[in-house]
Amino acid sequence: MEILTNQSVFQYNTFGIDVKTKYLASFKNIEELKELLQSPLIQEEKKLIIGGGSNVLFTKNYEGVILVNKITGIDIVEENEEHVLVKVGAGENWHEFVMWSINNQYAGIENLSLIPGSVGASPMQNIGAYGVEIKDVFHQLEAVEIKTGNTQVFNHKECAFGYRESVFKNVLKDQFVITSVTYKLNKKPVYNISYGAIKQQLEENNVEDLSIKEVANAVIQIRQSKLPDPQKIGNAGSFFKNPIVSQAKFEELKQKFPEIAHYLLPDSTVKLAAGWLIDNLGWKGKRVNNHGVHSKQALVLVNYGGSSGEDIYNLSEDIIASVKEAYGVELEREVNIY
Ligand code: FAD
Ligand code: NAP
């Protein structure tokens, strides 16, 4: 395990930001991780765990250690007629794990196809798409505490999952390294195709016999048609979360904006589509120098090449201010800022 100094983070973040980190190292198993955490050179430095770098924005050089998680392995640890418990190394690629589960006929994560990044980051913000969130299939995870090097198991309740949230994104932020995640997948699929454009895409594909593979294919097609490929245009997916407002606030907004995109939630609050709020103010497709708002999805900020994280952050500030002024709603960033 080599600890490198003064390295560019360019290849470790999908936004394509080219700043430096004071130290950089990677680990392939828990023993290597613990050894790194005890290394005198970096013991006192602040630490950041990186998987695929698809949900981070670096606004300046990182004055600490970036540890890249490369723990692999997919193991079935328990099985019955209905379910299978699969323990997955945190450094496995998320989409490749989804494909593995589909090839093995295990259902539950097909709607989460083509989300970039690592398995270890999936509980971090309770990744979600098309009406499914990781919390729906989560069993438990193992994590190493950075300060003590102790291993701890977190069950569902202890992760405190919320909308694009978990305990690791707030109270315990940057305090634990998630080393494996165990998911409970179904042997008998329960399809969730009512969300977004899935049904329409399945019809276009002339699907007669529904299967998890067909659902995954539909999700992949929709995503490829709408979202910028980070290999071609730097981005970190949705930059902002969808705001949730009270019924009273929603009624007030509906008077002024009858077309406002919204979804009633079970607790009677209302989720507003942040993409609609931003698009309605004319931001979609707007380009400032080498960065801007994606032309097909106003929630996604993009780096066309060579922009700084600070520039992109400043654009997000402008969007937040403009949304606040127009609707009186405070947008929250989904992307982790460093
Ligand atoms: P990173 O960017 O490496 O890290 C993100 C955060 O998690 C950081 O704070 C990091 O320190 C922490 N972290 C990472 N790994 C660990 C670990 N092992 N232990 C502790 N902390 C860790 N997200 C969705 O929810 N739904 C989507 O549909 C979706 N679509 C996307 C589409 C595109 C094109 C892109 C670029 C992003 C999208 N995202 C989506 C965001 C992103 O893919 C997810 O948040 C993903 O889980 C990030 O994984 P990562 O390994 O790249 O995390
Ligand atoms: P979309 O289908 O055009 O829908 C726009 C918004 O409306 C989404 O944000 C979604 O909220 C919400 N929505 C749609 N149908 C809904 C329903 N039946 N009930 C409740 N809310 C509904 O969105 P899209 O941009 O193409 O994205 C499709 C899915 O992929 C969404 O779930 C989105 O969250 C996910 N995605 C996430 C990221 C990311 O980086 N986080 C990036 C791309 C796509 P939700 O976002 O709450 O689901």
Side-chain angles (χ1 to χ4, degrees), residues 141-177:
L141 64 78
E142 280 175 20
V144 170
E145 192 178 15
I146 292 177
K147 201 163 65 184
T148 60
N150 293 337
T151 302
Q152 203 169 313
V153 174
F154 287 79
N155 65 24
H156 203 291
K157 197 167 168 230
E158 287 161 337
C159 289
F161 292 120
Y163 170 62
R164 302 287 187 270
E165 272 297 339
S166 78
V167 71
F168 301 102
K169 202 169 176 179
N170 45 61
V171 186
L172 299 181
K173 178 120 174 141
D174 299 329
Q175 290 183 41
F176 279 88
V177 183

Side-chain angles (χ1 to χ4, degrees), residues 242-262:
N242 287 324
I244 293 166
V245 298
S246 66
Q247 270 284 351
K249 176 70 188 174
F250 168 67
E251 293 301 337
E252 176 200 318
L253 286 168
K254 184 113 173 54
Q255 293 286 321
K256 247 172 125 184
F257 307 98
E259 306 288 305
I260 190 166
H262 66 281

